[in-house]
Amino acid sequence: MSSIISCNLISPRIPNNGLRFATTQNNNSWLTRRSVPKCSKNANPCQKLKECAISIALAVGLITGMPSYADANVNVNVNSYNWALPDLSVLISGPPIKDPGALLRYALPIDNKAVREVQKPLEDITESLKVSGVKALDSVERNVRQASRALKQGKSLIVSGLAESKKEHGLELLDKLDAGMDELQQIVEDKKRDAVAPMQKELLNYVGSVEEDMVDSFPYEVPEEYQSMPLLKGRATVDMKVRVKDNPNVDECVFRIVLDGYNAPVTAGNFVDLVERHFYDGMEIQRADGFVVQTGDPEGPADGFIDPSTEKTRTIPLELMVEGEKAPVYGATLEDLGLYKAQTKLPFNAFGTMAMARDEFENNSASSQIFWLLKESELTPSNANILDGRYAVFGYVTQNEDLLADLKVGDVIESIQVMSGLDNLVNPSYKIAG
């Protein structure tokens, strides 16, 4: 289990996640690498209409935070200009999962109902604690009893789901989880409300680790054309240390980020490879406008990483894992594929969702520029916004994510360091001279 990483706070603050705009050094567009969304001058009239519509919709979505027609299931037929309104039923569902830890747990390539029945009531403690005072503890007690009962009744099924090579470790975790349940029950009985959330987090870390022990090996083959690229076949954890300038509230902060190579092996592998090259060390934050924090544009004319072995910009394909599929789709948005109701395994639901920036109308143009979303999803399912299915998510900030909102243009990334999971990186190019 990883420990909590603290930031050096100079004085107390109330996070301000409201809408605010800022002009950045690079004038990067909303989630693109270069310019403000615009119509292409070289496209045919039909294509220009589609691009303009998408650009306007992106702008509207940026300002309002609401889904835009261009991405909320409008089907643009460029041959007949046949505009179809979205099926509004996709907007009606349960509350979205916003916790990055929960999103990562549900994104694991496992199918074990018994462990999910332990996980869910433990996660529900978060909602129970929203009730004021000690009254919340009544709901928490029900959550704990439900999780404990599910663990006892489903333990044999959970154990049977462990990968053989990880079974011993998984059994140790289950013993710790069982003991932790008793400890949390005692905390509730003693009415120590403030101790509930830290213990809940510890138990959920055990659950997540058990679930990771159910994954025996990487579950699919990456397409042949991408197999020689750096690939993260599993997960990795990195710490990003940022030196904050001209901010009386924050001096420096370390953000912990979990990268998910199960669902984005090419995208996450590219990033880890650049981290090991120290590509981001010393680089400034280049955009911070209240919606996203963005960096990764190197000095000079290049928009991305120049591979010294080829002396060309290394680009990676758009990579999206869809719920219900066994492998990602490459090179196309879900809109391109007509998958208007499909949901991605790694959605833009959490504050601090990490994704690749790219040229707006070039799906396979991502290289080194990355961004973090400074907004929680208020929409469900996750495909009903302007981001999911259009940009490749490959991780989440899991500690100190709220302090992303404090970053400003000019703040410096002192370092990004891989803390675990480097052994999951294959084809690392940083080992090549240069």
Side-chain angles (χ1 to χ4, degrees), residues 264-284:
V266 177
T267 311
N270 175 72
F271 177 74
V272 173
D273 186 71
L274 293 178
V275 165
E276 287 299 294
R277 285 180 173 272
H278 303 284
F279 176 84
Y280 298 100
D281 293 2
M283 186 173 287
E284 293 186 349

Side-chain angles (χ1 to χ4, degrees), residues 178-393:
D178 195 12
M181 294 274 202
D182 293 339
E183 185 175 345
L184 181 54
Q185 181 65 39
Q186 189 62 51
I187 287 172
V188 173
E189 291 177 4
D190 293 341
K191 300 188 182 304
K192 297 179 180 178
R193 179 189 168 111
D194 291 344
V196 171
M199 194 65 203
Q200 175 206 22
K201 184 172 184 178
E202 183 176 335
L203 296 181
L204 283 171
N205 283 337
Y206 289 143
V207 172
S209 295
V210 168
E211 292 172 347
E212 289 196 45
D213 284 346
M214 292 179 172
V215 185
D216 191 15
S217 59
F218 194 71
Y220 56 87
E221 287 292 328
V222 173
E224 185 176 356
E225 59 263 45
Y226 310 126
Q227 287 181 4
S228 62
M229 290 182 166
L231 305 173
L232 186 66
K233 291 192 170 183
R235 286 185 172 170
T237 300
V238 302
D239 282 355
M240 180 175 72
K241 184 178 181 180
V242 180
R243 172 66 64 177
V244 179
K245 297 180 178 179
D246 304 322
N247 190 323
N249 299 316
V250 180
D251 179 21
E252 69 177 25
C253 191
V254 178
F255 299 94
R256 174 146 290 186
I257 306 168
V258 177
L259 310 172
D260 189 349
Y262 288 123
N263 295 291
V266 177
T267 311
N270 175 72
F271 177 74
V272 173
D273 186 71
L274 293 178
V275 165
E276 287 299 294
R277 285 180 173 272
H278 303 284
F279 176 84
Y280 298 100
D281 293 2
M283 186 173 287
E284 293 186 349
I285 298 298
Q286 297 156 352
R287 176 180 178 178
D289 55 14
F291 291 97
V292 297
V293 169
Q294 185 167 328
T295 191
D297 186 2
E299 294 183 1
D303 291 312
F305 167 64
I306 302 296
D307 190 335
S309 65
T310 63
E311 297 184 349
K312 296 180 180 179
T313 302
R314 183 170 80 191
T315 57
I316 60 173
L318 177 61
E319 182 178 44
L320 303 169
M321 178 69 90
V322 178
E323 285 280 5
E325 297 297 325
K326 295 182 178 180
V329 294
Y330 291 89
T333 67
L334 297 189
E335 180 189 22
D336 293 336
L337 298 171
L339 300 175
Y340 302 117
K341 296 185 181 181
Q343 297 187 48
T344 54
K345 290 282 284 186
L346 299 176
F348 281 93
N349 278 13
F351 192 97
T353 300
M354 185 177 187
M356 291 297 300
R358 62 175 178 83
D359 288 340
E360 188 176 352
F361 299 111
E362 296 179 28
N363 292 339
N364 298 335
S365 60
S367 179
S368 61
Q369 294 192 42
I370 54 178
F371 67 91
W372 294 271
L373 183 66
L374 304 184
K375 186 178 183 297
E376 290 181 334
S377 175
E378 297 299 334
L379 297 168
T380 185
S382 59
N383 65 321
N385 59 45
I386 65 172
L387 303 179
D388 287 300
R390 188 180 294 277
Y391 297 92
V393 175

Side-chain angles (χ1 to χ4, degrees), residues 396-431:
Y396 296 96
V397 181
T398 59
Q399 291 179 11
N400 295 324
E401 61 269 23
D402 289 347
L403 290 169
L404 285 167
D406 286 297
L407 301 186
K408 292 182 174 57
V409 173
D411 292 343
V412 177
I413 298 173
E414 291 191 349
S415 65
I416 305 181
Q417 182 179 1
V418 178
M419 306 305 293
S420 65
L422 186 59
D423 54 336
N424 291 326
L425 182 67
V426 299
N427 307 326
S429 74
Y430 66 88
K431 292 186 176 180

Side-chain angles (χ1 to χ4, degrees), residues 37-53:
K38 61 181 183 293
C39 300
S40 171
K41 294 181 180 179
N42 299 322
N44 62 49
C46 295
Q47 182 64 24
K48 287 171 69 175
L49 175 64
K50 180 179 180 180
E51 293 184 1
C52 286

